[in-house]
Amino acid sequence: LGAAVRLFAERGFDGASLREIEQAARVNRGVVTYHFGNKKELWKATVDFAFMPYLDELRSKAGLIRALDPKTRARFLIERFVRTSAERPYMNRIMIQENFSHSWLSDWIIRRFLLPSRQLNRTLGEGDAWLQRLESDPHARYALLGACNMVFSHQCEVKALFRQNVYSETFIRRHVDTVVNLFEPWLTTPKSRKTNSHV
């Protein structure tokens, strides 16, 4: 799965052959079909491998996340997504590969990951204005998601232009702060703004 996720992220479903995946994984020919049946089922298992740990982590911490105040919850969720994007940059690369055109692959990612993720966001921060906006406005959604994850898909460019390693802890912490500060106006609910204006 580790070899498959790298190749599918780099080349897309059509660009990565089973033989290339087996060679990258250093396993005997036929191992993939023995364990997964065919390339389509391997790809599905690979997407689960890539995406599900993020959802599982949020689900396991749902009670704690709901107990946070809205602004702290916003920072926590943004930080978790930034850190996941750094730890698993192939998530964004797979999304890009399979969204060039409509196909069963993009449909499968939407049904398997994006729709459950949207529902989870709604339950984690019910009433949070910024999460409502994220799930109702495509401009807001992709502005924030791109701000969180694009830098980790462009690590070679960042290294060449800024001489920085996007995977260093210092860079990741600064990136979290940058995204939170950039979207600060969204992260304060209308109720909080009203409260602050009276202080």
Side-chain angles (χ1 to χ4, degrees):
L1 288 172
V5 79
R6 287 192 301 274
L7 289 175
F8 283 138
E10 290 170 8
R11 306 179 191 177
F13 179 82
D14 292 330
S17 72
L18 289 184
R19 184 61 188 139
E20 287 172 321
I21 292 168
E22 288 171 335
Q23 288 173 337
R26 298 180 183 176
V27 297
N28 294 331
R29 188 161 194 156
V31 166
V32 169
T33 53
Y34 175 79
H35 286 285
F36 298 97
N38 56 48
K39 185 177 175 182
K40 183 176 179 179
E41 294 306 313
L42 171 64
W43 184 86
K44 289 179 180 180
T46 300
V47 172
D48 274 359
F49 172 80
F51 290 85
M52 285 305 169
Y54 172 70
L55 271 184
D56 290 343
E57 180 190 9
L58 292 186
R59 286 171 177 146
S60 71
K61 295 177 178 175
L64 295 173
I65 295 169
R66 287 190 200 102
L68 299 171
D69 66 86
K71 192 170 181 179
T72 305
R73 179 166 46 247
R75 182 180 178 89
F76 176 85
L77 290 172
I78 288 172
E79 179 164 3
R80 281 316 309 143
F81 189 66
V82 168
R83 289 189 175 278
T84 299
S85 298
E87 294 160 7
R88 310 171 85 77
Y90 42 76
M91 288 173 61
N92 187 44
R93 292 174 188 153
I94 288 173
M95 294 293 292
I96 291 169
Q97 286 285 354
E98 305 310 342
N99 270 282
F100 285 121
S101 60
H102 178 255
S103 69
W104 70 266
L105 300 117
S106 58
D107 283 345
W108 201 86
I109 291 174
I110 290 165
R111 284 194 313 270
R112 183 77 173 164
F113 177 71
L114 295 182
L115 292 178
S117 178
R118 170 179 269 190
Q119 184 57 43
L120 181 60
N121 279 343
R122 287 174 176 159
T123 62
L124 289 176
E126 189 174 355
D128 288 4
W130 77 281
L131 273 175
Q132 291 174 10
R133 184 174 182 187
L134 192 69
E135 297 302 348
S136 63
D137 179 355
H139 307 288
R141 177 183 178 85
Y142 293 100
L144 180 58
L145 295 183
C148 287
N149 65 25
M150 192 59 71
V151 71
F152 302 109
S153 294
H154 287 69
Q155 78 274 10
C156 296
E157 183 179 310
V158 174
K159 187 172 183 180
L161 294 178
F162 300 97
R163 299 183 184 276
Q164 293 187 40
N165 173 11
V166 300
Y167 302 118
S168 74
E169 178 60 23
T170 300
F171 186 96
I172 292 168
R173 280 201 311 266
R174 186 166 179 194
H175 195 63
V176 170
D177 289 340
T178 299
V179 174
V180 169
N181 291 335
L182 187 63
F183 291 92
E184 177 73 26
W186 297 8
L187 306 183
T188 306
T189 65
K191 183 178 179 182
S192 297
R193 285 198 195 105
K194 185 177 180 182
T195 301
N196 291 338
S197 68
H198 288 288
V199 174

